[in-house]
Amino acid sequence: MALRKLTAAALAVIATSFASVSAMAAPVVYNYSTSGALASSNAAVAALLGGASVTVSGSFIYDAATPFTVNSQDIGYEAGRAIYSGAVSQLSGSVNGLSFIDNGTGVAAVGNEVVAPYGLDWFSLNADPTPRLGENTTPAEYAHQLSGFTVGDYKLDNVRLYWVEGYYGVPDYLSNNNLLPTVPSFNGFLALDFVLASDPTNTANSPYYSRTVYFGGLQAVAAVPEPGAMVLGLAGLAGVLVAVRRRKAGIAQA
Protein backbone atom coordinates (compact mmCIF):
# COMPACT_ATOMS: atom_id res chain seq x y z
CA MET A 1 0.00 0.00 0.00
CA ALA A 2 2.86 2.33 0.91
CA LEU A 3 4.55 1.52 -2.39
CA ARG A 4 1.36 2.28 -4.33
CA LYS A 5 1.07 5.65 -2.60
CA LEU A 6 4.72 6.33 -3.36
CA THR A 7 4.26 5.41 -7.01
CA ALA A 8 1.24 7.72 -7.29
CA ALA A 9 3.24 10.53 -5.72
CA ALA A 10 6.12 9.84 -8.10
CA LEU A 11 3.82 10.00 -11.12
CA ALA A 12 2.41 13.29 -9.88
CA VAL A 13 5.94 14.70 -9.59
CA ILE A 14 6.75 13.47 -13.10
CA ALA A 15 3.64 15.11 -14.51
CA THR A 16 4.44 18.35 -12.70
CA SER A 17 8.01 18.19 -13.94
CA PHE A 18 6.96 17.86 -17.57
CA ALA A 19 4.33 20.58 -17.19
CA SER A 20 6.92 22.93 -15.74
CA VAL A 21 9.40 22.19 -18.50
CA SER A 22 6.71 22.68 -21.12
CA ALA A 23 5.58 25.97 -19.59
CA MET A 24 9.13 27.32 -19.48
CA ALA A 25 10.14 26.02 -22.90
CA ALA A 26 10.95 28.85 -25.27
CA PRO A 27 11.27 29.08 -28.14
CA VAL A 28 8.58 26.74 -29.50
CA VAL A 29 8.46 25.09 -32.93
CA TYR A 30 5.18 25.46 -34.83
CA ASN A 31 4.02 23.60 -37.92
CA TYR A 32 1.60 25.42 -40.20
CA SER A 33 -0.55 24.81 -43.27
CA THR A 34 -3.00 26.80 -45.38
CA SER A 35 -5.95 26.31 -47.65
CA GLY A 36 -5.86 27.45 -51.29
CA ALA A 37 -4.88 30.75 -52.88
CA LEU A 38 -7.41 33.55 -52.53
CA ALA A 39 -9.07 35.42 -55.41
CA SER A 40 -7.33 38.64 -54.29
CA SER A 41 -3.96 37.13 -55.30
CA ASN A 42 -1.96 38.15 -58.33
CA ALA A 43 -3.46 35.83 -60.96
CA ALA A 44 -0.29 35.41 -63.01
CA VAL A 45 1.89 34.40 -60.05
CA ALA A 46 -0.81 32.18 -58.56
CA ALA A 47 -1.11 30.34 -61.87
CA LEU A 48 2.65 29.77 -61.99
CA LEU A 49 2.53 28.35 -58.45
CA GLY A 50 -0.16 25.84 -59.43
CA GLY A 51 -3.48 27.66 -59.36
CA ALA A 52 -6.16 28.31 -56.76
CA SER A 53 -5.95 24.85 -55.18
CA VAL A 54 -2.27 25.08 -54.28
CA THR A 55 -1.44 25.28 -50.55
CA VAL A 56 1.56 26.18 -48.39
CA SER A 57 2.94 24.24 -45.42
CA GLY A 58 6.04 24.51 -43.27
CA SER A 59 7.33 25.43 -39.84
CA PHE A 60 8.82 28.25 -37.78
CA ILE A 61 10.19 28.93 -34.31
CA TYR A 62 8.32 31.37 -32.07
CA ASP A 63 9.90 32.92 -28.96
CA ALA A 64 7.27 34.46 -26.69
CA ALA A 65 10.01 35.76 -24.37
CA THR A 66 11.33 38.19 -26.99
CA PRO A 67 11.55 41.71 -25.55
CA PHE A 68 9.83 44.72 -27.09
CA THR A 69 11.97 46.41 -29.76
CA VAL A 70 10.26 49.57 -31.01
CA ASN A 71 6.90 51.11 -31.89
CA SER A 72 6.05 50.88 -35.59
CA GLN A 73 5.45 54.63 -35.94
CA ASP A 74 8.95 55.38 -34.64
CA ILE A 75 10.55 53.71 -37.66
CA GLY A 76 8.25 55.09 -40.33
CA TYR A 77 5.55 52.41 -40.43
CA GLU A 78 1.81 52.53 -39.78
CA ALA A 79 1.16 53.65 -36.21
CA GLY A 80 -0.13 51.49 -33.38
CA ARG A 81 1.91 48.31 -33.68
CA ALA A 82 4.57 47.03 -31.29
CA ILE A 83 7.54 45.39 -33.01
CA TYR A 84 9.38 42.40 -31.51
CA SER A 85 12.51 41.72 -33.55
CA GLY A 86 13.63 38.08 -33.41
CA ALA A 87 10.32 36.67 -32.16
CA VAL A 88 10.14 34.39 -35.20
CA SER A 89 13.03 32.50 -36.79
CA GLN A 90 13.69 29.70 -39.26
CA LEU A 91 10.43 30.38 -41.06
CA SER A 92 10.38 27.77 -43.81
CA GLY A 93 7.87 26.19 -46.13
CA SER A 94 7.03 24.82 -49.52
CA VAL A 95 4.39 25.44 -52.15
CA ASN A 96 3.94 22.93 -54.96
CA GLY A 97 7.51 21.64 -54.53
CA LEU A 98 9.11 25.11 -54.32
CA SER A 99 10.82 25.80 -50.99
CA PHE A 100 11.88 28.81 -48.94
CA ILE A 101 13.59 29.43 -45.59
CA ASP A 102 14.44 32.49 -43.54
CA ASN A 103 18.08 31.97 -42.56
CA GLY A 104 17.95 34.68 -39.91
CA THR A 105 15.32 36.07 -37.59
CA GLY A 106 12.07 37.78 -38.44
CA VAL A 107 9.76 40.15 -36.61
CA ALA A 108 6.42 39.95 -34.87
CA ALA A 109 4.03 42.92 -34.98
CA VAL A 110 1.18 43.27 -32.48
CA GLY A 111 -1.54 45.88 -32.86
CA ASN A 112 -4.60 46.17 -30.64
CA GLU A 113 -7.50 47.82 -32.52
CA VAL A 114 -5.34 49.23 -35.30
CA VAL A 115 -6.65 48.02 -38.67
CA ALA A 116 -8.29 50.99 -40.41
CA PRO A 117 -11.06 51.90 -40.75
CA TYR A 118 -12.65 49.40 -38.38
CA GLY A 119 -10.24 49.29 -35.42
CA LEU A 120 -9.43 45.58 -35.52
CA ASP A 121 -6.76 43.47 -33.84
CA TRP A 122 -3.70 42.50 -35.85
CA PHE A 123 -0.87 40.03 -35.21
CA SER A 124 1.74 39.13 -37.81
CA LEU A 125 4.98 37.19 -38.20
CA ASN A 126 7.22 38.41 -41.01
CA ALA A 127 10.35 36.84 -42.44
CA ASP A 128 11.66 40.26 -43.47
CA PRO A 129 10.39 43.84 -43.03
CA THR A 130 7.69 45.03 -45.40
CA PRO A 131 8.01 48.37 -47.24
CA ARG A 132 7.42 51.51 -45.25
CA LEU A 133 4.22 53.46 -45.69
CA GLY A 134 4.17 55.09 -49.13
CA GLU A 135 7.23 53.18 -50.37
CA ASN A 136 7.55 50.21 -52.69
CA THR A 137 10.94 48.80 -51.75
CA THR A 138 12.09 47.17 -48.53
CA PRO A 139 14.46 49.12 -46.22
CA ALA A 140 17.96 49.09 -47.68
CA GLU A 141 19.56 49.12 -44.22
CA TYR A 142 18.03 45.75 -43.30
CA ALA A 143 19.84 42.61 -44.44
CA HIS A 144 17.51 40.49 -46.56
CA GLN A 145 17.63 37.01 -45.00
CA LEU A 146 14.95 35.06 -46.86
CA SER A 147 16.23 32.36 -49.18
CA GLY A 148 13.37 31.84 -51.58
CA PHE A 149 12.73 30.73 -55.14
CA THR A 150 11.96 32.14 -58.56
CA VAL A 151 9.00 31.11 -60.68
CA GLY A 152 8.73 32.61 -64.15
CA ASP A 153 9.98 36.20 -63.78
CA TYR A 154 8.83 36.44 -60.16
CA LYS A 155 11.20 36.16 -57.19
CA LEU A 156 9.90 35.48 -53.67
CA ASP A 157 10.82 38.50 -51.54
CA ASN A 158 8.96 38.04 -48.25
CA VAL A 159 6.68 35.68 -46.32
CA ARG A 160 4.06 36.95 -43.88
CA LEU A 161 1.73 35.07 -41.52
CA TYR A 162 -1.01 37.18 -39.99
CA TRP A 163 -4.28 37.08 -38.06
CA VAL A 164 -6.88 39.88 -38.36
CA GLU A 165 -9.95 40.22 -36.18
CA GLY A 166 -13.19 39.59 -38.03
CA TYR A 167 -11.73 37.42 -40.79
CA TYR A 168 -12.13 33.62 -40.79
CA GLY A 169 -13.98 34.03 -37.51
CA VAL A 170 -11.03 35.62 -35.70
CA PRO A 171 -12.37 37.10 -32.43
CA ASP A 172 -11.43 40.31 -30.63
CA TYR A 173 -8.35 38.67 -29.13
CA LEU A 174 -6.04 41.52 -28.07
CA SER A 175 -6.33 43.91 -25.14
CA ASN A 176 -2.86 45.47 -25.50
CA ASN A 177 0.26 45.32 -27.68
CA ASN A 178 2.10 42.72 -25.62
CA LEU A 179 3.64 39.79 -27.46
CA LEU A 180 1.28 36.83 -27.38
CA PRO A 181 2.33 33.86 -25.20
CA THR A 182 1.36 31.49 -28.03
CA VAL A 183 0.61 31.79 -31.72
CA PRO A 184 -3.19 32.11 -32.33
CA SER A 185 -5.01 28.79 -32.67
CA PHE A 186 -7.69 30.23 -34.97
CA ASN A 187 -7.30 30.55 -38.73
CA GLY A 188 -5.32 33.32 -40.32
CA PHE A 189 -3.67 34.22 -43.61
CA LEU A 190 -0.31 33.70 -45.29
CA ALA A 191 1.12 36.03 -47.94
CA LEU A 192 3.93 35.34 -50.38
CA ASP A 193 5.26 38.67 -51.65
CA PHE A 194 7.02 38.59 -55.01
CA VAL A 195 9.15 41.07 -56.95
CA LEU A 196 10.23 40.89 -60.56
CA ALA A 197 13.38 38.79 -60.94
CA SER A 198 14.38 41.14 -63.73
CA ASP A 199 13.90 44.14 -61.40
CA PRO A 200 14.50 42.83 -57.84
CA THR A 201 15.03 46.27 -56.29
CA ASN A 202 11.83 47.56 -57.92
CA THR A 203 13.41 50.47 -59.78
CA ALA A 204 10.15 50.73 -61.71
CA ASN A 205 8.52 51.61 -58.36
CA SER A 206 5.52 49.35 -59.01
CA PRO A 207 3.17 48.85 -56.02
CA TYR A 208 4.98 46.29 -53.89
CA TYR A 209 1.94 44.16 -53.03
CA SER A 210 0.69 43.98 -56.61
CA ARG A 211 2.52 40.64 -57.02
CA THR A 212 1.42 39.00 -53.76
CA VAL A 213 -0.29 35.61 -53.53
CA TYR A 214 -2.59 35.30 -50.49
CA PHE A 215 -3.62 32.04 -48.82
CA GLY A 216 -6.47 31.60 -46.35
CA GLY A 217 -7.08 28.99 -43.68
CA LEU A 218 -3.67 29.42 -42.04
CA GLN A 219 -3.44 27.06 -39.08
CA ALA A 220 -0.37 26.95 -36.81
CA VAL A 221 0.07 24.13 -34.30
CA ALA A 222 2.85 23.71 -31.74
CA ALA A 223 5.10 20.77 -32.51
CA VAL A 224 6.67 18.34 -30.02
CA PRO A 225 8.87 19.91 -27.30
CA GLU A 226 12.36 21.04 -28.19
CA PRO A 227 15.10 18.42 -27.59
CA GLY A 228 16.45 20.47 -24.68
CA ALA A 229 13.07 20.41 -22.97
CA MET A 230 12.83 16.67 -23.47
CA VAL A 231 16.29 16.20 -21.92
CA LEU A 232 15.28 18.23 -18.87
CA GLY A 233 12.06 16.28 -18.54
CA LEU A 234 13.83 12.93 -18.82
CA ALA A 235 16.42 14.06 -16.28
CA GLY A 236 13.63 14.85 -13.85
CA LEU A 237 12.03 11.48 -14.56
CA ALA A 238 15.32 9.70 -13.91
CA GLY A 239 15.70 11.46 -10.58
CA VAL A 240 12.21 10.46 -9.50
CA LEU A 241 12.77 6.83 -10.49
CA VAL A 242 16.00 6.73 -8.50
CA ALA A 243 14.13 8.04 -5.47
CA VAL A 244 11.40 5.42 -5.94
CA ARG A 245 13.98 2.64 -6.20
CA ARG A 246 15.72 3.75 -3.03
CA ARG A 247 12.41 3.94 -1.22
CA LYS A 248 11.53 0.42 -2.36
CA ALA A 249 14.87 -0.84 -1.07
CA GLY A 250 14.24 0.80 2.31
CA ILE A 251 10.76 -0.80 2.56
CA ALA A 252 12.19 -4.25 1.69
CA GLN A 253 14.87 -3.96 4.38
CA ALA A 254 12.26 -2.93 6.95
Side-chain angles (χ1 to χ4, degrees):
M1 184 67 177
L3 182 57
R4 288 181 179 177
K5 287 182 179 180
L6 180 62
T7 302
L11 291 174
V13 172
I14 293 170
T16 302
S17 174
F18 272 110
S20 299
V21 168
S22 176
M24 293 187 297
V28 176
V29 176
Y30 280 81
N31 295 320
Y32 71 85
S33 61
T34 73
S35 56
L38 300 177
S40 54
S41 301
N42 179 289
V45 185
L48 288 170
L49 291 178
S53 62
V54 72
T55 61
V56 185
S57 61
S59 64
F60 60 88
I61 300 173
Y62 179 69
D63 188 355
T66 303
F68 166 77
T69 305
V70 67
N71 285 312
S72 56
Q73 60 267 29
D74 295 335
I75 52 175
Y77 288 86
E78 297 91 337
R81 293 172 171 84
I83 306 298
Y84 298 83
S85 181
V88 59
S89 60
Q90 294 299 301
L91 172 57
S92 63
S94 62
V95 49
N96 200 17
L98 301 169
S99 300
F100 59 83
I101 183 170
D102 180 12
N103 291 309
T105 57
V107 299
V110 186
N112 176 41
E113 307 295 329
V114 295
V115 181
Y118 309 110
L120 305 177
D121 293 340
W122 170 281
F123 175 71
S124 66
L125 302 173
N126 300 345
D128 285 324
T130 56
R132 292 189 176 97
L133 186 64
E135 297 182 1
N136 289 318
T137 54
T138 53
E141 68 272 16
Y142 188 91
H144 199 71
Q145 303 171 100
L146 180 67
S147 177
F149 57 84
T150 299
V151 55
D153 190 32
Y154 302 97
K155 179 179 181 294
L156 181 64
D157 188 71
N158 199 9
V159 180
R160 298 176 288 125
L161 290 71
Y162 58 101
W163 292 260
V164 184
E165 178 190 342
Y167 294 86
Y168 274 100
V170 174
D172 181 357
Y173 64 103
L174 296 176
S175 58
N176 52 51
N177 281 3
N178 294 339
L179 190 59
L180 297 176
T182 62
V183 173
S185 59
F186 33 78
N187 286 352
F189 299 87
L190 182 143
L192 299 180
D193 299 321
F194 289 85
V195 296
L196 286 175
S198 56
D199 186 19
T201 58
N202 198 13
T203 56
N205 199 34
S206 300
Y208 181 82
Y209 297 108
S210 63
R211 303 183 185 94
T212 295
V213 180
Y214 298 96
F215 297 85
L218 171 66
Q219 189 73 44
V221 179
V224 296
E226 292 279 310
M230 291 298 294
V231 169
L232 288 174
L234 291 174
L237 173 60
V240 171
L241 291 178
V242 168
V244 170
R245 192 168 298 167
R246 288 176 177 171
R247 177 64 175 171
K248 285 174 64 178
I251 292 174
Q253 290 174 358

